[in-house]
């Protein structure tokens, strides 16, 4: 895998971490229906490219859903347009069954197979699963040092040590940095596995190994596995 993949598009990635506030699968079905209604406005956004709603593979995971929506901001020099369609999505929300922790991110580092192009950002296979690592950074840490050492605190070195890259079909690892003032996390790393869907137990074992890694001072990270449940383009 190459250390960097050149991007021809300037992308703005809106991420949402959805925290369950009610118990019961019926409430989550209500959320999914509400979310799909909201994406009708989202897809009308001038810069919208694609989006993927994913569900946590652990029943007791804090963030039961994870949304990853990609926007092309090349013509606006990287600026995201807060137009009426975006306002409608925010005002409409996705129901009262979950709390959404949302923020905007940009891609800072990409490690990918040489044949990968910047798009698509949607899952390529029915067995695609994402390992998502979200990180909070204490004030005062050197941002250059942080991003230079991201392979360690993002968990990538731990994943490599488990020797599952080929088994799970690791396609790309992307480090995202928050660019909006709102949001709980400073960085989010997304590992894309194209063959992990039918190896859930093995994936959870690797996830546990990742959680046992000694944290880097000043950086608090958590991780979870997510399976796509709704792709909208």
């Amino acid at each position: 895998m190459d250390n960097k993949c050149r991007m021809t598009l300037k992308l703005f990635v809106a991420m949402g971490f959805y925290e369950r506030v009610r118990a019961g699968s019926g409430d989550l079905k209500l959320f999914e229906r509400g979310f799909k209604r909201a994406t009708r406005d989202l897809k009308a956004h001038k810069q919208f490219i694609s989006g993927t709603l994913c569900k946590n593979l652990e029943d007791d995971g804090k963030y039961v859903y994870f949304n990853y929506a990609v926007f092309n901001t090349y013509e606006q020099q990287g600026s995201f347009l807060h137009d009426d369609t975006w306002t409608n999505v925010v005002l409409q929300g996705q129901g009262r069954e979950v709390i959404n922790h949302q923020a905007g991110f940009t891609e800072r580092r990409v490690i990918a197979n040489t044949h990968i192009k910047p798009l698509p950002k949607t899952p390529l296979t029915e067995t695609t699963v994402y390992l998502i690592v979200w990180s909070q950074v204490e004030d005062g840490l050197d941002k250059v040092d942080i991003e230079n050492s991201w392979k360690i605190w993002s968990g990538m070195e731990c994943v490599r040590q488990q020797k599952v890259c080929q088994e799970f079909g690791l396609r790309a690892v992307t480090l995202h940095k928050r660019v909006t003032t709102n949001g709980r996390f400073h960085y989010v790393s997304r590992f894309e596995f194209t063959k992990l869907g039918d190896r859930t137990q093995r994936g959870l074992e690797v996830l546990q190994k990742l959680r046992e890694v000694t944290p880097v001072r000043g950086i608090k990270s958590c991780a979870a596995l997510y399976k796509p449940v709704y792709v909208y383009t």
Side-chain angles (χ1 to χ4, degrees), residues 18-220:
Y18 296 89
E19 184 176 350
R20 188 201 304 256
V21 295
R22 296 183 181 182
S25 58
D27 291 328
L28 296 182
K29 292 298 181 181
L30 289 174
F31 162 75
E32 290 187 18
R33 287 199 292 269
F35 183 90
K36 291 178 181 180
R37 286 195 299 269
T39 59
R40 296 171 187 170
D41 283 321
L42 192 60
K43 289 189 289 186
H45 191 283
K46 179 181 179 180
Q47 298 170 308
F48 176 77
I49 297 176
S50 65
T52 306
L53 178 69
C54 303
K55 189 174 183 181
N56 199 320
L57 289 181
E58 296 176 291
D59 292 334
D60 59 348
K62 181 172 182 178
Y63 301 109
V64 62
Y65 289 100
F66 169 71
N67 182 52
Y68 188 93
V70 183
F71 299 82
N72 175 9
T73 59
Y74 180 79
E75 293 181 355
Q76 288 75 31
Q77 290 75 48
S79 297
F80 176 73
L81 300 178
H82 289 81
D83 63 7
D84 291 341
T85 60
W86 182 255
T87 302
N88 291 338
V89 171
V90 174
L91 292 178
Q92 178 178 334
Q94 290 86 44
R96 299 181 179 180
E97 292 75 32
V98 295
I99 298 174
N100 181 14
H101 303 279
Q102 183 171 284
F105 293 80
T106 185
E107 295 180 334
R108 291 294 296 163
R109 298 285 192 277
V110 177
I111 295 182
N113 292 326
T114 55
H115 67 281
I116 291 181
K117 298 178 181 179
L119 297 175
K121 299 294 184 180
T122 51
L124 294 184
T125 69
E126 294 183 354
T127 55
T128 292
V129 170
Y130 298 105
L131 168 63
I132 305 298
V133 181
W134 53 94
S135 305
Q136 295 171 301
V137 179
E138 292 182 0
D139 293 337
L141 295 184
D142 188 290
K143 298 300 187 296
V144 175
D145 290 343
I146 289 173
E147 294 187 15
N148 286 340
S149 62
W150 76 282
K151 294 179 183 179
I152 298 174
W153 53 263
S154 69
M156 189 170 65
E157 293 298 338
C158 175
V159 171
R160 282 180 168 175
Q161 290 173 10
Q162 305 307 311
K163 299 180 180 179
V164 295
C165 296
Q166 183 172 359
E167 177 187 354
F168 291 170
L170 180 59
R171 180 173 181 266
V173 184
T174 307
L175 173 70
H176 306 81
K177 181 179 181 180
R178 195 182 77 204
V179 292
T180 58
T181 55
N182 64 299
R184 177 170 292 188
F185 314 116
H186 299 97
Y187 292 94
V188 174
S189 304
R190 189 180 84 150
F191 295 69
E192 180 184 2
F193 297 102
T194 60
K195 301 177 183 178
L196 202 152
D198 55 356
R199 298 174 172 84
T200 301
Q201 188 54 45
R202 285 281 290 116
L204 292 175
E205 291 172 2
V206 172
L207 180 61
Q208 183 57 38
K209 291 289 186 183
L210 182 60
R211 289 171 173 170
E212 294 172 355
V213 173
T214 302
V216 175
R217 177 177 294 182
I219 302 178
K220 181 180 179 181

